[in-house]
Amino acid sequence: MKFGYFDDANKEYVIQNPKTPYPWINYLGTQEFFSLISNTAGGYHFYKDARLRRITRYRYNNVPVDMGGRYFYIKDGETIWSPGWSPVKTELDTYTCRHGMGYTIISGKKNDVSAEVTFFVPQNYNGEIQSLVLKNEGTAPKTISLFSFVEWCLWNAQDDSTNFQRNYNTGEVEIEGSTIFHKTEYKERRNHFAFYTVNDTIDGYDTDRESFIGLYNGFENPQVVTAGKASDSVADGWSPIASHYKEITLKPGESKQLIFILGYVENPKDEKWNADGSMNKSRAYAMMEQYDTPEKVAAGLQELKEMWDNLLSKYTVKTPDDKMNRMVNIWNQYQCMVTFNMSRSASYFESGIGRGMGFRDSNQDLLGFVHQIPDRGRERLIDLASTQLEDGGYYHQYQPLTKKGNNEIGGDFSDDPLWMILSVAAYIKETGDYTILDEMVPYDNDESKAKTMMDHLEKSFFHVVENVGPHGLPLAMRADWNDCINLSCFSDEPGESFQTFTSPKYGEEKYSKVAESVMVAALFTYAGPEYVAMCQKREDTAGAEKAQAAIDTMKKNIMESGWDGEWFLRAYDDFGKKMGSHECEEGKIFIEPQGFAVMGGCGKETGADLKALESVDKWLNSEHGLSLNQPAFTKYYIKYGEISTYPGGYKENAGIFCHNNAWIICAEAFVGHGDKAYEYYSKIAPAYREEKYSDLHRTEPYVYAQMIAGKDAKWHGEAKNSWLTGTAAWNFVAVSQYILGVIPDWDGLKIDPSIPHTWDGFTISRQYRGAIYDVTVQNPNHVCKGIASVTVDGTAIDGNVLPVFGDGKSHTVTVVMG
């Protein structure tokens, strides 16, 4: 069953049934103020950091699901309803939710009254606009009672959900006209507050949750709404909320627009107070004035839409496949921007409490958005490199508010340094800005230890080279890309972290000096040449030769000790035994090393690369994508760690990890298998799954999920962990660079498609280094890969790398495959 449809012209997904299989959400905000909003107006808000600056409260894993949000209650006689259906759940006469680019419009109608709410976060604004239009569509006058509702979080989301003995006593609010201020702890150490306001007079308010809802009621039946009148409660401790109450009479055909603003304000410490000792609200007043009329709101929404149109215009395609066009032109790029902002910190599967920004995550995310906002990409790269330790390793996570490494999880993840090399290379290839390599960047955020970015990359490269095991392959350390393969853990104690606990037998070493990762070795052969190229660009011949020698040695070691006969091994465990081998009882083949080894050139001379891809197809392929490993683990292997704790078919234990599916898509396209690359792509891309699998897939049909349940799972094809996943960036790379083959390179835009042989061709418009390239690819001979000719502005060129014009003009490119 489908629950909506794509409106490509408006860049929206339109949901027509509020009872989606799981809450289908959108993200509002692109700079510092963010909010999550579901198709029934659930979700929450925060400033910069979902843990340390949480503004509204949300309850994860709740029953019923998705409770807490920004709600409007309408009481019409004895009927009470909400435009988003939830939380009241009164059946509506009509309902739609339109998730667009940075905005969501929720509409409901009941008994001739319609309500449409437009939610968005304007550009350069720390607040959410909620523009509500009420209309009497009947033939008789209507008098209704309107109640708004948000619940304040007491700033630190973790403390808010645990430290009740304190928090039940600290909540503070202030009511001023139609504005409710949340100022808990403002008089102490905080210099920030929030507010919820409406641009009209109100007939009452509530700021105490118990007074509004009732101690034994829920969001679906607040006692104040049932009574039809606010209680004018003032929170004093307990749980502060903000609710406006207004009586509204509408003539037949009459409408009324009300503008609600949920805002966040920071005052400089020396400007916290007015001369009379009251809280300085001047910045809040200015924010209210910015959007206090329908005209200002319309202009703000238009500015937001134009911003997104501009971002999405940087790469647009027209292929014979409408679903691919939809994903590439709209939703995949949109999701890449959201993952840039959020990393893995705040979704309906990540609470925003347990982790900050992931290091490897953010580096990979950059691959999908750097063409849109390269300046912010540069800033992100410096933030990431600043978390590097002097030995070349990195903190695995950092907090976005402080940009400091997260000591709770620390470092020693063996793959982290290589992602830094890939992301810096991607930035330079996109922009041509080599000055980033001379940027002075601190180690461990200590400015006294600052060295050039190139120094950081050198340490990253050789951190891998200098930490190898008995076979000359990189040590696995705490984990490699797969955080659930923990070869140094040996945990038999419930509740221990597989990622941070290591067996006491290693002492100060912290991890096994025997366990090795073939995955990191393969990634090294893929990322390492980017470091060599940067050395060459800086005319560091000696550095380039030294690095290339290390890559050549790694390839040799992979083929000698990492090849299993039909595929590449996954690892060696702490006992020196093979993991991911035909010799294993379970987990004989893993997906992760195969794609990178192929793209790194491992086994090309002997045909081992193609044999590995054949094995992936034979053992890992299914109706819903490629499993991470097969056969699934059916018992706990203490020597492997977390991976074997999952039931078969879920997550890392033979689930379909859409993230690493992209590496195989890339590899198949790389070797010229355009048909196979397209097959794999279309199995996991959400726009393809929407028509057949919405009920089964469950999560949003417009964005990638991290995981789809594998063939060993009871619900094969069911997705989890949508939105915040490296799948977004890597699948954009897979389709835009490897299948469609328009690739930013060191000296220009490289054209090298690998497409389905049935296609006659396609067109792409690509903005690149200050010029626009309008590319037409023709495929008269119906090949999957190969370039017969390239002409630019009517002139044939040698090779397939387009020149860098940088002239602000459009250039016509014709490519004939053959």
Side-chain angles (χ1 to χ4, degrees):
M1 166 180 184
K2 290 177 65 175
F3 294 82
Y5 63 92
F6 286 98
D7 181 347
D8 294 337
N10 289 307
K11 301 183 178 71
E12 296 174 340
Y13 191 85
V14 184
I15 301 168
Q16 298 170 297
N17 181 345
K19 302 173 188 177
T20 51
Y22 197 77
W24 288 357
I25 75 166
N26 196 9
Y27 283 83
L28 313 182
T30 61
Q31 293 157 309
E32 296 183 328
F33 185 98
F34 300 99
S35 58
L36 289 70
I37 183 168
S38 72
N39 57 298
T40 58
Y44 60 91
H45 312 75
F46 63 93
Y47 174 77
K48 286 188 178 180
D49 192 312
R51 173 177 170 178
L52 300 179
R53 288 293 185 275
R54 186 75 65 92
I55 297 169
T56 55
R57 186 177 281 160
Y58 185 77
R59 293 159 181 81
Y60 279 84
N61 199 26
N62 202 19
V63 180
V65 71
D66 196 25
M67 283 293 102
R70 66 289 269 160
Y71 294 138
F72 291 100
Y73 299 87
I74 296 169
K75 188 172 192 294
D76 178 8
E78 295 305 308
T79 301
I80 297 171
W81 59 284
S82 292
W85 179 68
S86 185
V88 180
K89 300 179 185 174
T90 298
E91 291 301 315
L92 302 177
D93 298 333
T94 63
Y95 158 91
T96 60
C97 169
R98 305 184 76 96
H99 282 321
M101 304 290 104
Y103 66 88
T104 288
I105 303 171
I106 296 177
S107 307
K109 179 181 175 182
K110 185 71 178 177
N111 296 341
D112 293 328
V113 176
S114 65
E116 180 178 276
V117 196
T118 301
F119 301 89
F120 71 102
V121 174
Q123 290 290 282
N124 306 306
Y125 192 78
N126 290 331
E128 179 181 282
I129 307 300
Q130 305 166 1
S131 177
L132 169 64
V133 178
L134 297 164
K135 186 175 182 180
N136 180 357
E137 298 186 8
T139 57
K142 282 279 190 180
T143 297
I144 60 173
S145 301
L146 174 72
F147 300 84
S148 66
F149 174 85
V150 296
E151 182 179 12
W152 302 116
C153 180
L154 304 187
W155 302 118
N156 183 322
Q158 184 173 41
D159 185 81
D160 179 77
S161 62
T162 56
N163 193 7
F164 305 115
Q165 61 85 25
R166 170 176 166 79
N167 294 337
Y168 283 162
N169 298 280
T170 62
E172 286 189 82
V173 299
E174 184 177 327
I175 303 97
E176 186 180 280
S178 299
T179 305
I180 298 165
F181 292 93
H182 176 225
K183 59 180 189 178
T184 299
E185 295 187 338
Y186 184 81
K187 70 176 182 294
E188 303 144 36
R189 296 172 293 176
R190 297 187 180 274
N191 65 329
H192 44 267
F193 62 90
F195 65 89
Y196 193 36
T197 190
V198 62
N199 69 332
D200 205 343
T201 57
I202 56 176
D203 297 309
Y205 56 83
D206 274 286
T207 67
D208 174 69
R209 189 182 71 195
E210 185 176 327
S211 300
F212 179 78
I213 292 180
L215 183 59
Y216 296 104
N217 291 355
F219 291 118
E220 74 280 3
N221 61 340
Q223 62 187 14
V224 157
V225 178
T226 302
K229 186 178 181 181
S231 70
D232 293 346
S233 61
V234 179
D236 192 26
W238 294 105
S239 296
I241 65 161
S243 174
H244 306 91
Y245 157 62
K246 188 171 178 65
E247 288 289 322
I248 299 171
T249 299
L250 298 171
K251 300 173 185 176
E254 184 182 7
S255 63
K256 183 176 182 61
Q257 183 170 1
L258 294 168
I259 300 163
F260 294 81
I261 302 174
L262 179 71
Y264 171 88
V265 173
E266 278 189 3
N267 284 327
K269 289 185 178 180
D270 58 354
E271 296 180 25
K272 283 182 65 172
W273 309 104
N274 295 317
D276 62 0
S278 60
M279 185 171 73
N280 179 4
K281 306 186 187 82
S282 60
R283 289 174 174 80
Y285 299 148
M287 289 180 67
M288 295 175 206
E289 188 178 356
Q290 273 186 269
Y291 291 100
D292 59 359
T293 68
E295 293 77 15
K296 292 177 182 178
V297 169
L301 183 58
Q302 183 60 30
E303 181 187 23
L304 178 69
K305 289 182 177 181
E306 289 174 358
M307 186 276 295
W308 276 109
D309 287 345
N310 177 59
L311 287 179
L312 297 177
S313 71
K314 296 179 185 297
Y315 193 119
T316 60
V317 305
K318 186 175 183 182
T319 75
D321 185 340
D322 289 342
K323 296 182 184 65
M324 180 177 282
N325 299 340
R326 176 180 296 145
M327 289 306 303
V328 175
N329 294 336
I330 306 171
W331 292 100
N332 197 172
Q333 293 193 72
Y334 181 56
Q335 187 179 4
C336 284
M337 284 295 294
V338 171
T339 58
F340 158 67
N341 286 316
M342 301 290 120
S343 186
R344 309 296 175 270
S345 64
S347 71
Y348 268 38
F349 299 90
E350 297 280 5
S351 69
I353 296 174
R355 60 184 296 175
M357 306 286 277
F359 178 84
R360 82 156 67 95
D361 302 326
S362 294
N363 274 291
Q364 291 175 87
D365 292 342
L366 185 135
L367 307 178
F369 76 78
V370 68
H371 67 290
Q372 294 179 312
I373 48 170
D375 290 348
R376 293 184 70 188
R378 192 182 202 276
E379 178 186 350
R380 175 61 56 80
L381 288 171
I382 292 169
D383 288 346
L384 290 166
S386 298
T387 68
Q388 188 173 26
L389 303 170
E390 289 182 279
D391 68 356
Y394 289 87
Y395 283 103
H396 197 54
Q397 297 170 8
Y398 73 101
Q399 289 301 131
L401 190 69
T402 64
K403 297 185 178 180
K404 297 290 181 69
N406 186 343
N407 283 312
E408 293 176 18
I409 193 165
D412 293 324
F413 289 73
S414 59
D415 62 314
D416 278 349
L418 294 174
W419 300 116
M420 193 81 224
I421 293 171
L422 272 181
S423 60
V424 172
Y427 168 78
I428 295 173
K429 289 178 177 181
E430 181 66 38
T431 63
D433 174 21
Y434 289 90
T435 65
I436 191 172
L437 298 177
D438 296 312
E439 187 79 26
M440 296 298 290
V441 182
Y443 283 94
D444 198 9
N445 284 102
D446 184 343
E447 291 291 346
S448 70
K449 299 176 181 178
K451 293 188 177 180
T452 66
M453 176 67 86
M454 193 65 186
D455 187 81
H456 284 257
L457 298 182
E458 180 181 7
K459 280 190 168 60
S460 298
F461 183 91
F462 287 102
H463 186 270
V464 177
V465 174
E466 293 164 2
N467 286 277
V468 295
H471 300 93
L473 301 170
L475 292 173
M477 300 187 177
R478 281 183 171 170
D480 53 24
W481 174 86
N482 190 328
D483 281 338
C484 296
I485 294 179
N486 318 108
L487 305 181
S488 300
C489 184
F490 293 93
S491 175
D492 58 5
E493 183 68 32
E496 282 176 345
S497 167
F498 288 97
Q499 282 75 53
T500 59
F501 176 80
T502 52
S503 174
K505 75 176 183 176
Y506 301 117
E508 294 183 0
E509 295 287 355
K510 296 186 291 185
Y511 47 79
S512 170
K513 299 297 184 179
V514 174
E516 298 165 295
S517 170
V518 179
M519 153 68 199
V520 176
L523 177 60
F524 183 77
T525 68
Y526 177 76
E530 306 285 43
Y531 174 73
V532 172
M534 284 184 271
C535 289
Q536 292 169 337
K537 291 294 181 181
R538 294 167 66 84
E539 299 182 352
D540 179 8
T541 304
E545 290 176 351
K546 181 180 178 183
Q548 186 60 53
I551 296 169
D552 294 341
T553 298
M554 190 66 73
K555 285 186 179 181
K556 176 175 174 290
N557 294 343
I558 288 173
M559 296 313 300
E560 288 181 354
S561 303
W563 176 248
D564 198 53
E566 293 184 46
W567 57 79
F568 292 95
L569 296 174
R570 182 59 180 82
Y572 283 90
D573 65 22
D574 185 57
F575 303 101
K577 300 293 186 182
K578 297 175 183 177
M579 180 184 190
S581 166
H582 71 279
E583 299 172 11
C584 299
E585 178 184 354
E586 298 178 331
K588 293 176 181 291
I589 178 173
F590 283 74
I591 194 173
E592 299 107 316
Q594 316 305 331
F596 284 129
V598 170
M599 292 187 287
C602 300
K604 183 177 181 180
E605 299 84 356
T606 63
D609 56 345
L610 300 183
K611 187 175 288 187
L613 293 177
E614 290 169 4
S615 295
V616 167
D617 188 29
K618 178 180 178 180
W619 295 103
L620 303 180
N621 200 2
S622 76
E623 178 185 1
H624 299 287
L626 300 168
S627 297
L628 187 143
N629 60 286
Q630 281 292 316
F633 296 113
T634 61
K635 55 188 177 183
Y636 178 44
Y637 292 78
I638 193 170
K639 61 185 179 180
Y640 292 160
E642 185 175 0
I643 186 170
S644 58
T645 66
Y646 291 105
Y650 292 102
K651 287 281 281 179
E652 284 81 358
N653 186 15
I656 296 165
F657 242 75
C658 301
H659 186 152
N660 53 43
N661 272 232
W663 301 339
I664 302 300
I665 297 169
C666 293
E668 291 283 10
F670 177 78
V671 300
H673 298 167
D675 291 322
K676 184 58 72 173
Y678 176 80
E679 174 198 327
Y680 292 155
Y681 172 77
S682 60
K683 285 185 176 182
I684 62 170
Y688 295 81
R689 298 182 61 76
E690 184 234 14
E691 288 188 359
K692 296 198 303 184
Y693 302 121
S694 281
D695 271 326
L696 173 63
H697 187 80
R698 297 196 70 196
T699 61
E700 295 89 345
Y702 40 90
V703 292
Y704 284 98
Q706 177 209 64
M707 186 216 72
I708 297 169
K711 51 192 174 185
D712 298 280
K714 181 178 180 180
W715 303 111
H716 179 32
E718 179 187 70
K720 288 190 179 78
N721 296 21
S722 62
W723 276 102
L724 302 186
T725 164
T727 304
W730 269 110
N731 273 274
F732 185 72
V733 169
V735 66
S736 66
Q737 297 186 29
Y738 284 84
I739 295 178
L740 300 176
V742 179
I743 310 161
D745 208 354
W746 301 105
D747 300 313
L749 205 55
K750 183 178 178 180
I751 310 297
D752 190 17
S754 189
I755 59 175
H757 78 278
T758 55
W759 284 13
D760 294 321
F762 59 94
T763 61
I764 288 182
S765 176
R766 176 65 152 91
Q767 295 182 30
Y768 180 70
R769 298 194 195 178
I772 299 172
Y773 296 78
D774 293 318
V775 182
T776 298
V777 176
Q778 301 169 356
N779 190 19
N781 297 319
H782 290 275
V783 299
C784 286
K785 193 178 180 73
I787 302 294
S789 66
V790 179
T791 60
V792 180
D793 295 331
T795 302
I797 66 168
D798 293 330
N800 61 342
V801 177
L802 308 180
V804 175
F805 291 103
D807 55 9
K809 298 178 181 179
S810 295
H811 297 273
T812 301
V813 180
T814 302
V815 178
V816 179
M817 297 181 66

